[in-house]
Amino acid sequence: GIGDDGFEGDLFALGLGWQKATIERVWCDLPDRERMLALVAEQGRLDGFETRLRRVDGSEAWILFSARLITYAGDRAFLAVMTDITERRTMEEALRASEARLAAFLANAPVGMYLKDRDGRYLMANPPMAELFGCPVEEAIGQTVARFLPPPEAERIRRYDEDVLQSGAPTVREQHLPGSERFEWMMVIRFPVRDAAGTIVQIGGFDVDIT
């Protein structure tokens, strides 16, 4: 933590010669410090240890520790590198929250919702789609519609998906699936899903029961 970035002086107000009690005040979770020291002593090294430290202004920072046990001036010591990963942790937590919202949305939506890859394999689907699949959603992931529907219907859906891939635009169609208890007649909205470069990488869809 000593270097041109000013970790110790600017961020945590630590300096050479500071005593244990002063150093401990910087740690948000003091048991983490004891655990880190024990691991270094036991293994002689430590990689990827994440914890929170308290900055001078009172805010908290997520820090990634890497450490090595060394001998310094005849005493046992350890050399540590501290990397501020606060921004990464914030992004990870935001992603987890976003995924939780998406999962809740999928689970409670009153219409069928799905995501396919360009080859028509289901990547994601919500519970109403299980009625179309005739099996739990988990068993449908990685499968194409040919696994669940007769060849004529499966081929027609494949062509509809291809229209979205070719045109790059959403489509809305009414479809008839005789024999399906809930989705005998449905309105299907298909749309392209693009990556950051604008390339279509997936197909999303909403199946609305209009029986």
Side-chain angles (χ1 to χ4, degrees):
I2 302 174
D4 294 337
D5 55 10
F7 244 157
E8 296 204 354
D10 294 342
L11 289 183
F12 303 117
L14 291 176
L16 298 176
W18 285 50
Q19 301 302 307
K20 177 182 177 182
T22 305
I23 296 173
E24 286 181 344
R25 286 199 292 268
V26 176
W27 289 72
C28 297
D29 299 303
L30 194 55
D32 274 359
R33 180 177 186 271
E34 302 306 320
R35 188 162 54 252
M36 185 190 76
L37 293 175
L39 288 170
V40 174
E42 176 185 346
Q43 303 173 6
R45 59 183 294 160
L46 182 68
D47 294 298
F49 187 90
E50 297 183 11
T51 189
R52 292 174 298 125
L53 297 186
R54 190 172 291 107
R55 298 187 181 103
V56 175
D57 62 7
S59 63
E60 297 179 358
W62 277 99
I63 300 299
L64 178 70
F65 273 96
S66 294
R68 299 292 183 270
L69 194 63
I70 63 172
T71 299
Y72 181 75
D75 294 324
R76 295 180 75 217
F78 72 89
L79 179 67
V81 175
M82 301 156 57
T83 306
D84 189 338
I85 58 169
T86 307
E87 183 176 352
R88 191 200 79 187
R89 288 288 300 236
T90 300
M91 292 177 62
E92 289 174 348
E93 290 171 3
L95 177 60
R96 283 193 293 271
S98 177
E99 290 175 340
R101 288 193 296 269
L102 175 60
F105 187 73
L106 287 172
N108 294 284
V111 301
M113 302 171 63
Y114 63 82
L115 191 68
K116 299 179 182 178
D117 65 16
R118 290 182 60 95
D119 295 322
R121 290 186 292 266
Y122 287 96
L123 303 173
M124 184 185 301
N126 69 337
M129 290 297 294
E131 298 184 44
L132 176 63
F133 297 143
C135 69
V137 167
E138 292 76 14
E139 295 181 16
I141 303 303
Q143 304 291 329
T144 70
V145 73
R147 165 71 172 73
F148 315 107
L149 297 178
E153 285 81 0
E155 176 58 22
R156 184 164 61 250
I157 290 175
R158 188 198 65 78
R159 290 199 307 269
Y160 292 160
D161 288 348
E162 189 62 27
D163 288 344
V164 174
L165 295 175
Q166 293 297 325
S167 68
T171 63
V172 180
R173 283 189 171 90
E174 290 187 6
Q175 293 178 207
H176 183 221
L177 294 178
S180 175
E181 293 183 5
R182 177 173 180 181
F183 291 106
E184 181 178 357
W185 283 96
M186 58 185 173
M187 179 176 67
V188 181
I189 303 168
R190 294 178 174 84
F191 55 92
V193 178
R194 302 175 186 273
D195 63 12
T199 302
I200 299 175
V201 292
Q202 295 161 347
I203 300 171
F206 301 111
D207 288 8
V208 183
D209 179 20
I210 58 172
T211 305

